[in-house]
């Protein structure tokens, strides 16, 4: 369902600085992407990125990469702290899943830190299940959970 508060559009290269600062604000040093890493993912030819705006100002974004022909990977989803719990994360996730479904992907994978309880609640709400634990995935100390969801239409 459309959310009148937010407008979604594709990422443009002019957005880079804003997205990088938002990612820095969302994650601690060591988990947040370096400029080089974020730039790599945003310009990856096997992926896409969607930006969410309110009143022309970027409030969040999602970066997706196609891992295999039939699987999408959420590289990151970031919503500005003061815009959370207003449905933007859901809009971004639904838009990304819908685009992947149209591109004949039938599953989505992602990693999340075991101590990121807001994100775990969010993904559970979106139907993601734990596939496995990846020891010391973040900063060589914090475990990650790999989550997955089937998105095929039937
Ligand atoms: C995870 C994140 C993207 C969610 O974005 P959001 O815009 O706040 O999400 P929504 O408003 O669409 O939330 C949808 C539902 O997810 C769940 N949820 C989201 N945030 C939650 C929280 N802090 N605590 C508990 N449940 C939460 C709720 O069920 C919520 O529905 P409700 O508000 O009606 O209860 C956002 O918290 C964020 O950017 N976090 C920092 C970056 C991050 O950790 N990203 C994930 C990386 S793996």
């Amino acid at each position: 369902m459309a959310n009148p508060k937010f407008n979604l559009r594709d990422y443009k290269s002019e957005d880079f600085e804003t997205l990088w600062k938002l990612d820095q604000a969302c994650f601690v040093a060591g988990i947040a992407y370096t400029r080089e890493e974020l730039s790599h993912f945003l310009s990856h030819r096997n992926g896409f990125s969607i930006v969410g705006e309110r009143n022309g100002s970027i409030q969040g974004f999602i970066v997706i990469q196609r891992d295999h022909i039939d699987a999408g990977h959420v590289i990151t989803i970031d919503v500005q702290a003061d815009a959370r719990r207003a449905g933007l994360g859901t809009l971004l996730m639904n838009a990304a899943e819908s685009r992947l479904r149209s591109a004949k992907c039938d599953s989505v994978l992602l990693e999340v830190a075991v101590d990121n309880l807001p994100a775990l609640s969010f993904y559970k709400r979106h139907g993601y299940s734990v596939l496995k634990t990846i020891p010391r995935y973040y900063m060589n100390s914090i475990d990650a959970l790999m989550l997955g969801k089937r998105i095929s239409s039937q």
Side-chain angles (χ1 to χ4, degrees):
M1 202 193 325
N3 181 325
K5 287 189 209 135
F6 300 106
N7 171 54
L8 299 189
R9 63 165 173 79
D10 283 351
Y11 164 76
K12 297 183 282 197
S13 57
E14 307 92 271
D15 303 326
F16 179 78
E17 262 326 285
T18 306
L19 268 47
W20 183 73
K21 284 180 186 149
L22 179 48
D23 193 66
Q24 293 288 306
C26 281
F27 298 100
V28 297
I31 293 186
Y33 287 123
T34 63
R35 284 176 196 275
E36 291 71 23
E37 288 166 336
L38 188 61
S39 173
H40 166 78
F41 289 123
L42 286 168
S43 58
H44 204 283
R45 65 186 175 87
N46 284 331
F48 60 87
S49 305
I50 304 170
V51 164
E53 293 177 315
R54 181 163 53 191
N55 300 326
S57 159
I58 293 175
Q59 308 286 306
F61 67 101
I62 189 167
V63 182
I64 302 289
Q65 194 168 311
R66 290 276 293 268
D67 281 351
H68 312 288
I69 196 139
D70 57 356
H73 200 132
V74 179
I75 301 299
T76 196
I77 175 169
D78 298 14
V79 172
Q80 196 165 291
D82 62 6
R84 290 179 194 159
R85 300 303 288 270
L88 178 55
T90 294
L91 275 184
L92 291 165
M93 185 60 89
N94 289 346
E97 289 178 359
S98 167
R99 197 178 296 191
L100 285 167
R101 211 177 274 113
S102 300
K104 308 286 180 225
C105 281
D106 62 12
S107 62
V108 184
L109 299 170
L110 60 90
E111 292 84 22
V112 58
V114 290
D115 59 358
N116 190 344
L117 301 183
L120 285 166
S121 298
F122 173 79
Y123 292 132
K124 185 175 179 196
R125 174 79 178 263
H126 282 271
Y128 285 77
S129 308
V130 177
L131 303 179
K132 64 176 179 179
T133 303
I134 311 174
R136 298 177 300 283
Y137 183 78
Y138 295 105
M139 301 187 293
N140 204 26
S141 66
I142 302 169
D143 294 352
L145 298 176
M146 175 175 273
L147 307 186
K149 176 181 176 181
R150 307 289 303 180
I151 58 164
S152 48
S153 36
Q154 291 307 323

